[in-house]
Amino acid sequence: MIIGSNLIFRENVASTNTEASLMLNQGEVAEGTVIQAGFQSAGRGQKGNRWESVKGKNLLLSIILYPWSVKPEEQFIINMALSLGVCDFTGKMTQGSSIKWPNDIYVKDDKIAGILIENSIMADRIESTIAGIGLNINQEEFPGNLRNPVSMKMITGREHDLQQCLTVLLSALDKRYRQLLYGDREEIHDEYRSRLYRFNELSAFRSGEKVFEGTITDVSVSGFITIRDKQQHEHRFSFKEVDFVTSPGSSR
Ligand code: BTN
């Protein structure tokens, strides 16, 4: 077991990703160390957003990894492997789990987990990875500005034991991480594609001011998404350059 071999619990931190980064700055940290928090006062999400979570209701954690065999130009394979790990976990308890590119975990059309991966790159290698995961377990009410949050409790109708969920989640992540280090990467890539939210389905997208319809045909290990428009032209976008357009009245 790599992930979860060393578990640190903090009642209250600013952000577990920030905490992990401070630990790395202070010296050697064992690979697979997990920093879990009961509450974050400054939880961070993608695109500079905040990640808010009611105290003691959800899983908030960061994992420190040293993915020695992954080259910086293929670093998105780390996101793929860990997204699959979280999706394996949600898939065990719910139906309709998928990964919304780049690495949100959805159940049907709602977001149950977010992942914030921060790689530290030195010259031509990844020195360390901090993988932050926020997974909604028992929270039932969310701030109104969020588009489509959901939790395990809202889906299953019952309370879940956080520590039990943590054990199952870490084991799923560990399996995927070992597959990344020692197994077949093409399999990770294929599975990521096959679990992708709205893969090969006609959807509306927005890129800057432009709204267009197209289908997702691929995501590369460098993290680019390929969308084929109705004229059969393929366009590649990086994260931040494109997003789904949500239809009026939908929960998204
Ligand atoms: C997203 O925007 O979807 C990513 C959210 C990631 C949130 C988690 S919670 C634990 C870890 N610590 C943070 O500050 N962020 C990540």
Side-chain angles (χ1 to χ4, degrees):
M1 185 185 203
I2 303 173
I3 294 184
S5 47
N6 181 27
L7 208 65
I8 299 168
F9 180 78
R10 299 269 158 83
E11 202 67 64
N12 197 328
V13 292
S15 147
T16 55
N17 269 37
T18 307
E19 201 68 16
S21 160
L22 291 171
M23 282 172 70
L24 281 170
N25 289 340
Q26 279 160 12
E28 271 291 293
V29 186
E31 170 153 55
T33 294
V34 174
I35 300 126
Q36 186 199 358
F39 180 74
Q40 296 184 129
S41 53
R44 296 192 278 118
Q46 297 163 13
K47 299 183 185 167
N49 291 328
R50 289 176 68 90
W51 185 264
E52 290 178 19
S53 169
V54 171
K55 187 175 165 62
K57 292 278 183 191
N58 303 314
L59 286 177
L60 304 167
L61 56 109
S62 297
I63 309 164
I64 294 173
L65 299 167
Y66 307 107
W68 46 269
S69 59
V70 178
K71 297 191 187 78
E73 59 271 24
E74 54 187 21
Q75 61 186 278
F76 193 73
I77 193 83
I78 304 169
N79 300 54
M80 290 181 177
L82 298 177
S83 304
L84 281 169
V86 180
C87 197
D88 290 340
F89 169 82
T90 53
K92 276 194 218 300
M93 333 263 269
T94 64
Q95 288 193 334
S97 270
S98 64
I99 303 165
K100 178 175 175 269
W101 176 80
N103 43 225
D104 285 346
I105 307 303
Y106 267 41
V107 176
K108 302 210 170 79
D109 283 322
D110 297 323
K111 178 166 170 174
I112 192 162
I115 306 178
L116 178 67
I117 295 193
E118 298 178 302
N119 292 321
S120 156
I121 296 172
M122 280 290 254
D124 59 348
R125 66 181 200 97
I126 298 175
E127 225 181 32
S128 61
T129 292
I130 297 171
I133 300 170
L135 173 56
N136 300 332
I137 304 286
N138 289 321
Q139 188 167 331
E140 287 179 287
E141 280 172 23
F142 291 86
N145 61 322
L146 295 180
R147 270 196 307 202
N148 56 340
V150 77
S151 68
M152 211 60 105
K153 183 171 184 185
M154 287 159 72
I155 297 166
T156 61
R158 65 178 178 91
E159 193 91 5
H160 294 265
D161 184 294
L162 275 192
Q163 284 322 107
Q164 219 168 304
C165 287
L166 179 70
T167 307
V168 181
L169 173 68
L170 295 182
S171 143
L173 288 165
D174 184 61
K175 214 164 144 192
R176 289 295 182 177
Y177 186 60
R178 281 185 291 108
Q179 183 182 10
L180 170 67
L181 293 187
Y182 312 115
D184 185 351
R185 284 209 194 150
E186 211 33 62
E187 225 169 80
I188 293 179
H189 200 166
D190 287 346
E191 272 194 71
Y192 178 87
R193 282 189 199 97
S194 74
R195 303 248 196 113
L196 211 49
Y197 179 72
R198 297 216 195 151
F199 185 62
N200 269 334
E201 282 175 35
L202 191 66
S203 309
F205 297 92
R206 178 180 292 108
S207 176
E209 296 294 293
K210 200 175 158 209
V211 173
F212 65 100
E213 283 193 309
T215 55
I216 299 171
T217 57
D218 199 16
V219 174
S220 70
V221 289
S222 51
F224 285 84
I225 193 165
T226 304
I227 300 173
R228 186 188 296 140
D229 67 20
K230 283 179 132 176
Q231 290 72 44
Q232 304 302 311
H233 296 133
E234 294 209 316
H235 306 268
R236 266 162 62 93
F237 299 95
S238 69
F239 179 50
K240 290 186 183 170
E241 284 180 342
V242 73
D243 207 350
F244 285 101
V245 174
T246 53
S247 46
S250 87
S251 60
R252 270 168 289 118

